[in-house]
Amino acid sequence: MDRLLLMHSFVTVAQVGSFSGAAKKLGSSGSLVSRHVAELERQVGVRLVNRTARSVSLTEPGRRYAEFAARILDEIEAEDAGIAQLHDRAEGTLSVICPKWIGSLDLGDAIAAFSAAHPKIQIRFELGGMSDRTYDFLDSGFDIAFHTRDLRDSSVRLKKISSLPFVLCASEEYIQQHGSLAHPNDLAAHDCLVHLNDPVWRIGHGHASTLHKIRNIAFSSNSYIALQKAAVHGRGIALLPQRPAYDDLVSGALQVLLPELAVPDRPLYAIYGPGRDTPRKVSVFLDFLASWFARNPIPGIRP
């Protein structure tokens, strides 16, 4: 039988002085409370109460154990209250993980802004090291993980934070030497700069979109920043996140290719633990990030 339940019944008996009075206070029966105390005596190995027809008194070990049990129960109640309050307050440690390429771009700026706005929340932000299994971030001690792919996993919840626009581009130098693209199929004849986790490019929107597995890879990396630099240096055609490439696109260092087709945005999802009762620090974090991306849209690029 549960030790804490037995201790609770015994402490109540010690406070009230009778099984019937304890039962009334606990909303139970006198016989059940008596069985609880008897079972506790069996587990402890000593007699805790003196039973008579009219009253119940504590033995010497019983008085000592009553003080101990009351202290333990009070500490548990206080800790439960403290944990509940922490759950409802926007403070404490928040552990976040995401792929390297996301964390080093927009998301890194947004999380830095959140940390400055909520100094009572200590951020642990790790890039990379993510498993293919959606829920593994929970087993690794993280509260939130970010993805840019559609997820269907009932073991976690998700919230769409924003959409990340991408752009197909190349430098003017490369275009002059190798020509531009008239059709997505022309990619097969060009040098391409490919992210290691993104070897298949989708060009166009909706039913008109087409998938292209890139085979002529001139430069590959797990960093979009590295691919952007290679594109600026004329090494080939790249599919890049638009925000970090924006200045190069505006200055003309990079040119938009196939602007009439464009490329689909990538959804930015935050995934977090199951259950309807979301910790306050998590909900505040997610709301802040969604608001940050809404307040900091990426300006359009004119081809």
Side-chain angles (χ1 to χ4, degrees):
M1 191 175 294
D2 180 69
R3 174 65 72 90
L4 291 178
L5 174 62
L6 303 182
M7 292 169 66
H8 187 50
S9 292
F10 172 64
V11 167
T12 307
V13 169
Q15 292 171 342
V16 175
S18 70
F19 291 127
S20 60
K24 184 176 181 180
K25 186 174 182 179
L26 293 171
S28 183
S29 67
S31 60
L32 180 59
V33 172
S34 179
R35 288 200 300 271
H36 285 176
V37 174
E39 174 61 20
L40 183 61
E41 289 177 320
R42 188 192 68 78
Q43 293 185 14
V44 175
V46 298
R47 184 161 51 88
L48 301 175
V49 299
N50 294 311
R51 298 168 174 82
T52 67
R54 296 183 177 181
S55 66
V56 173
S57 62
L58 300 181
T59 64
E60 184 176 352
R63 287 192 294 272
R64 176 175 173 178
Y65 197 84
E67 293 176 359
F68 162 76
R71 184 172 68 253
I72 293 299
L73 293 173
D74 286 345
E75 289 181 1
I76 290 174
E77 184 176 350
E79 186 64 20
D80 286 349
I83 292 295
Q85 290 177 5
L86 182 62
H87 182 277
D88 295 334
R89 293 197 300 260
E91 58 184 65
T93 300
L94 187 67
S95 298
V96 182
I97 188 170
C98 73
K100 287 183 179 179
W101 76 267
I102 307 175
S104 59
L105 303 178
D106 312 55
L107 190 59
D109 291 331
I111 292 178
F114 173 82
S115 182
H118 295 271
K120 290 186 177 181
I121 297 180
Q122 295 80 47
I123 297 293
R124 171 193 170 201
F125 184 34
E126 292 194 16
L127 280 60
M130 297 184 66
S131 168
D132 290 335
R133 293 186 297 182
T134 305
Y135 54 82
D136 270 5
F137 73 99
L138 294 171
D139 295 336
S140 299
F142 291 95
D143 301 298
I144 299 169
F146 287 91
H147 288 275
T148 57
R149 67 178 189 272
D150 290 325
L151 302 170
R152 292 177 177 83
D153 191 333
S154 60
S155 63
V156 296
R157 287 177 294 171
L158 79 161
K159 176 183 177 71
K160 186 176 181 181
I161 299 299
S162 184
S163 293
L164 305 178
F166 274 62
V167 61
L168 188 68
C169 58
S171 70
E172 183 65 30
E173 176 187 357
Y174 178 85
I175 295 172
Q176 289 178 357
Q177 292 182 5
H178 302 275
S180 187
L181 298 178
H183 189 276
N185 290 340
D186 295 342
L187 284 168
H190 283 269
D191 293 337
C192 293
L193 317 178
V194 177
H195 195 283
L196 295 176
N197 294 327
D198 193 21
V200 178
W201 294 356
R202 181 180 291 276
I203 309 297
H205 287 276
H207 296 298
S209 67
T210 53
L211 292 173
H212 301 269
K213 183 173 178 58
I214 306 304
R215 303 188 185 278
N216 188 13
I217 301 176
F219 188 104
S220 63
S221 175
N222 64 347
S223 166
Y224 278 110
I225 299 299
L227 296 176
Q228 180 180 336
K229 293 180 183 298
V232 170
H233 282 80
R235 188 63 186 90
I237 295 174
L239 181 61
L240 300 174
Q242 186 171 306
R243 188 182 294 273
Y246 180 78
D247 289 343
D248 287 333
L249 292 165
V250 171
S251 70
L254 292 175
Q255 303 288 324
V256 178
L257 303 177
L258 299 176
E260 70 281 2
L261 294 177
V263 294
D265 295 345
R266 308 283 176 88
L268 178 61
Y269 289 113
I271 60 175
Y272 51 107
R276 294 186 300 175
D277 193 14
T278 303
R280 178 65 176 161
K281 62 183 178 181
V282 171
S283 60
V284 167
F285 177 79
L286 297 178
D287 290 344
F288 182 96
L289 261 64
S291 176
W292 186 92
F293 278 94
R295 295 193 313 269
N296 293 273
I298 303 172
I301 299 295
R302 294 182 179 180

